[in-house]
């Protein structure tokens, strides 16, 4: 099928794009508003971008033309925490995804514990095994569509909390122990069930699905 | 474990970050150089960013201080194609990931077919079921680390090629039919084996792992 995005409704373009670029990692972004209210929301238009310096990003739309609460809080405070959502935290993530007014503290709604961060005021999700404390380093505005567009937020990771039980020797992380929730599209998510190891130098090797 | 990234070697920070933010979608980026040589390389610090307007990004490091060939080609030509890597294309993806000089055409190395694009000069990967033709709309420079940093490239999707056999009614894409390769870290990849459906309105619902 050949598709010119201009010929479709924006929501249909969104369905195609979010259905094609999968699986996506989830940035579970915790922030605090300038009025001191904690906020927590998941973003899957998100990723790491660089290890040196350690940099992450997430992108949020502008429902009704306004920035999402997380984005507004990042712009106001220049800080956020990028928490990892595990499979076992799927329901709490889902509760935190519900659109709510800025006065709502999604930590309370979802029954999660806001943990003290080391270098930022925004709380971290204590139930999550990995929390990256971030300082805002820039934004990229996406506009020119039918609606009000999106804003991409870039953060420098200034401190990492990593649970010992997901760490392997030599600064590796065990993907099956971490058991992250992966975003697909619509109501669908997935998880990592087995690893496929592909050695880069070994061009002729067959793909070797390997259970842990 | 509490980690200040400044206390670690950059490669260890990279391992932690790329091991934590998983699974990542893979942008298999095809470009053409200003001298007319095709280039193909995978990037997993990549994602969709917005459906309206349709926008994607990928981030590439600067080995030896120079932009990667794909990035340099995007800067020179302001165009690229974002192809989706399926599980069955894992070996070809891996061959295209090998660092090689700008004169090398990774389509030839990997035995892939450069297909004619509709609105950009860069070829698309005919063997991939989804190709998004993109025009460069901006960049974000990541610097301030020990090494030469990275460059994030943003593209507007101007044309979509989507194979009929991965399309469902109502502009949905079938994740199991698409069977995308997911990036973890080190030599590890994964695939989508089952869907987990979580209805956003149904707060009290149990997580319901559902095989297709």
């Amino acid at each position: 099928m050949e598709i010119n995005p201009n010929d479709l409704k924006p929501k249909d373009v969104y369905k195609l794009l979010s259905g094609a670029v999968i699986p996506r990692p989830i940035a579970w972004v915790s922030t605090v508003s300038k009025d001191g209210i904690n906020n927590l929301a998941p973003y899957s238009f998100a990723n790491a971008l660089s290890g040196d310096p350690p940099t992450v990003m997430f992108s949020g739309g502008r429902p009704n033309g306004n920035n999402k609460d997380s984005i507004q809080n990042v712009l106001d405070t220049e800080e956020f925490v990028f928490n990892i959502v595990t499979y076992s935290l799927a329901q709490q993530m889902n509760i935190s995804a519900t659109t709510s007014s800025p006065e709502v503290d999604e930590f309370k709604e979802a029954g999660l514990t806001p943990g003290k961060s080391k270098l930022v005021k925004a709380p971290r999700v204590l139930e999550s095994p990995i929390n990256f404390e971030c300082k805002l380093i820039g934004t990229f505005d996406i506009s020119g569509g039918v609606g009000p567009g999106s804003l991409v937020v870039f953060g420098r990771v200034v401190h990492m909390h990593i649970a010992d039980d997901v760490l392997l020797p030599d600064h590796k992380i065990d993907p099956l122990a971490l058991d992250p929730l992966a975003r697909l599209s619509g109501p669908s998510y997935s998880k990592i069930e087995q690893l496929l190891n592909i050695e880069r130098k070994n061009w002729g090797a067959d793909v070797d699905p390997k259970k842990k």
Side-chain angles (χ1 to χ4, degrees), chain A:
Chain A
M1 195 181 179
E2 301 293 316
I3 299 163
N4 178 334
N6 293 325
D7 295 339
L8 296 184
K9 291 177 190 158
K11 75 179 170 96
D12 292 330
V13 175
Y14 174 85
K15 278 187 222 169
L16 290 171
L17 201 60
S18 63
V21 185
I22 56 170
R24 293 186 302 279
I26 302 173
W28 208 6
V29 175
S30 49
T31 54
V32 62
S33 75
K34 57 183 187 218
D35 298 329
I37 298 162
N38 291 340
N39 189 282
L40 180 65
Y43 291 83
S44 73
F45 286 170
N47 212 332
L49 291 177
S50 153
D52 173 34
T55 309
V56 297
M57 70 90 198
F58 68 97
S59 174
R62 294 191 182 94
N64 307 317
N66 299 317
N67 287 320
K68 289 199 175 196
D69 295 345
S70 318
I71 303 252
Q72 192 57 51
N73 290 349
V74 172
L75 296 178
D76 289 343
T77 65
E78 304 195 343
E79 296 177 344
F80 63 97
V81 182
F82 186 120
N83 306 277
I84 304 296
V85 182
T86 62
Y87 182 82
S88 64
L89 290 168
Q91 278 308 318
Q92 287 94 322
M93 180 285 300
N94 196 39
I95 292 169
S96 76
T98 306
T99 304
S100 51
S101 59
E103 309 82 55
V104 173
D105 175 345
E106 287 85 2
F107 280 90
K108 286 185 189 160
E109 297 290 325
L112 293 163
T113 316
K116 197 166 158 45
S117 295
K118 194 173 168 80
L119 297 179
V120 303
K121 279 186 191 153
R124 60 196 179 102
V125 178
L126 266 193
E127 287 79 1
S128 164
I130 300 184
N131 324 106
F132 294 140
E133 298 183 17
C134 300
K135 299 262 193 187
L136 178 67
I137 56 165
T139 60
F140 183 79
D141 185 67
I142 297 176
S143 54
V146 176
S150 291
L151 192 70
V152 187
V153 165
F154 302 93
R156 173 76 44 86
V157 179
V158 293
H159 190 80
M160 299 172 157
H161 306 259
I162 304 182
D164 292 339
D165 58 2
V166 303
L167 266 174
L168 296 170
D170 192 26
H171 302 93
K172 290 174 185 167
I173 289 174
D174 183 336
L176 297 174
L178 178 60
D179 198 19
L181 191 68
R183 186 74 178 103
L184 304 179
S185 62
S188 296
Y189 293 77
S190 187
K191 74 197 290 285
I192 295 169
E193 289 174 83
Q194 58 178 352
L195 308 186
L196 167 74
N197 286 316
I198 309 180
E199 292 297 337
R200 189 142 297 183
K201 285 180 183 170
N202 195 1
W203 284 17
D206 284 323
V207 169
D208 170 34
K210 193 190 273 181
K211 267 226 142 93
K212 196 196 170 193

